[in-house]
Amino acid sequence: MSSATATTLDVFPEQTPSYILSFQFSSWYPKFSDVSIKSTIIKPLSDVFRKYLESESVFVPEGSDDLPVESTLSDDEEPPESDDDGEAPPSYAFPDLDAEIRASIKQYDGVFPKLNFTSPRDAAWVLAAGSPLKCTTPADVYLLLKSSDFIMHDLERATVFEGCEGDESSWSPYELELVLRKWYPINPSREVRCFVRNGKLVGISQRDTNYYDFLNVSETQDVIRSSVMRLWEEKIKPRQEQRDYVFDLLLTRDLSRGHVVDFNPYAPKTDSLLFSYKDLCDLAVADNATEFRVIDSPAHPLAIRNAPVHQHNAVPMEAIQLSSGRSIDEFAELWKAQLNESTEDA
């Protein structure tokens, strides 16, 4: 590549709504389903469901937990009082969506949900630690999504198209979608993130920021680099219409093959992990082999071996149960009262 080209290559490609939407799940999955994880797409989702995800308290819709519905009111009890503005507390039920989710759970024997772009990986603490992120009821799906900060990105066009040029009124239509992926245990040490700039695979990064001994063996790195290059050349490059993109792979146990986990726009919002985007720009204009970077020491600044991932998002299960159907202020008062009671009992 000439030096003239090198001086004209921007750090990021042009960000347009159509470019961003080419990386939502329903846009890329049909072309790559044979090399990806089995998945079901449910779209479009209703505005009511969007409002449920945006609502303050953490609770699951009625009828979604696969338990018999029992009344919690005796004949002498009154129904809940309305809020100060005269509106009843929020009540949500999605029987049709519940049915579609149950069908996918039956088909796949457990699912992992995501929205158009984002998965609720930060809410893994909500479900059983032995089967992280595995949903076996619609309630599990809703609870994961409601407990996640990550998925908030997908709820509004303004955040989805952040950084795009032009007036918002001219942006492409955007419909919220729910993706249910077949769940199975994933070894994070075999996940890699790959960066393609101007049609060239310039960098491969270890995705999980823990230190792994085997990833620091030169022979292993050669195997991974060769496997990724082969999969990209044979299965991804011929089908991907964009020349700038980021894709995640889950490698097989022998590291010889891989499954496409996701595609992401080549954009500031996509985590560059062990690279900076300036690094990747320099690699894109250099006549070098694809660079593979790993956490090379337990003392690496990004190594988090002894800290739970997304620990800042975790709250006690009791807090989730206590918050159900309540506003933030109501929950705060009840949580404070419960803490005071626990202190007095001690």
Side-chain angles (χ1 to χ4, degrees), residues 95-146:
D96 293 340
L97 183 56
D98 290 348
E100 292 186 83
I101 294 174
R102 289 189 177 100
S104 292
I105 289 172
K106 182 177 180 181
Q107 178 184 0
Y108 298 138
D109 193 29
V111 297
F112 167 48
K114 66 171 292 178
L115 298 182
N116 306 50
F117 300 93
T118 314
S119 63
R121 290 166 64 100
D122 58 324
W125 54 272
V126 169
L127 302 181
S131 303
L133 300 169
K134 182 178 183 180
C135 297
T136 57
T137 68
D140 290 344
V141 171
Y142 301 141
L143 187 58
L144 264 185
L145 295 175
K146 282 287 291 179

Side-chain angles (χ1 to χ4, degrees), residues 51-65:
K51 290 178 181 178
Y52 161 70
L53 293 180
E54 292 175 335
S55 61
E56 291 183 343
S57 52
V58 180
F59 59 95
V60 295
E62 296 176 5
S64 64
D65 53 7

